Amino acid sequence: MKLYHCVGSRSVRVFWMLEELGLRYEIEVLPFDPAALTSADCIQLEGKGRVPVLVIDAVTMYESVPIVQYLLDHYADGRLEPPRGSDEYGVFLRWMTYGEETLMGPVSKIARNSYALPPAERSATLLNEGKRRFKHFARKLEDALEQHDYLYDDQFTAADIVVGYALYVANEGGALPEDYPKLRAYYERLAARPAFKKAVAG
């Protein structure tokens, strides 16, 4: 299998997942630059020059959360998820969606307006709006972590990878709330994992 990856992008989730599962893979690291991406091989695979793209034999996958789910289905052997059919599996799926559909909107706004865009194009108004909305949504995480180390009880799962990437981007933009101690401790646990360190380093 081969992963097309940009440092800091959503492809971090897939890189992290591959490492946690101990899978063998090739990786092509691309610059986070639209011109470079549209000239790369992955444009022929994904169509718009976006990452991640994961190629496994005749299967080509894109969009980070479906790739994570595909790896669970085909390579995890029950690891990194609760038992399927259990009540906890429904909660797990909710967090998988929450990490992308709910958190990444404000997190992307934070990233663009704190470090991704050239300084002249950044907006303090949009940055503060992103931080405000992120803090509002992150409250649910703080509450969920009140009694547990991870989102599914005390067991690390793929949901922590999906949510953890959003927290990584928020942290890079200085947006992890100081007054959410459970969330900050959770992020520190995730950031200490060797697979996380390798994935974010690129």
Side-chain angles (χ1 to χ4, degrees), residues 160-177:
D160 299 298
I161 291 175
V162 174
V163 169
Y165 169 72
L167 299 185
Y168 161 72
V169 178
N171 186 63
E172 291 293 291
L176 278 190

Side-chain angles (χ1 to χ4, degrees), residues 132-149:
R132 178 183 58 79
R133 287 181 59 79
F134 173 74
K135 184 173 184 179
H136 171 74
F137 293 135
R139 180 78 232 181
K140 188 175 289 290
L141 297 172
E142 178 74 7
D143 293 343
L145 294 162
E146 185 65 34
Q147 302 296 330
H148 303 291
D149 286 345

Side-chain angles (χ1 to χ4, degrees), residues 69 72 76 78-84 89 92 152 155-158:
Q69 187 66 62
L72 285 173
R79 293 175 291 163
L80 300 184
E81 62 180 348
R84 298 198 178 190
Y89 189 72
F92 164 81
Y152 168 54
Q155 177 182 327
F156 176 81
T157 69

Side-chain angles (χ1 to χ4, degrees), residues 4 17 23 30 34 37 71 74 76 79 83-84 92 94-95 109 113 135 149 184-185 195 197:
Y4 293 86
M17 185 73 174
L23 299 176
L30 302 166
L37 287 172
L71 292 172
H74 293 272
R79 293 175 291 163
R84 298 198 178 190
F92 164 81
R94 184 189 71 196
W95 287 123
K109 194 171 289 187
N113 293 285
K135 184 173 184 179
D149 286 345
R184 296 186 69 86
K197 293 178 181 179

Side-chain angles (χ1 to χ4, degrees), residues 4 8 18 32 41 46 60 76 151 154 164 166 176 186:
Y4 293 86
L18 292 169
F32 211 145
D41 289 345
E46 189 270 338
T60 298
L151 295 174
D154 293 318
L176 278 190
Y186 168 66

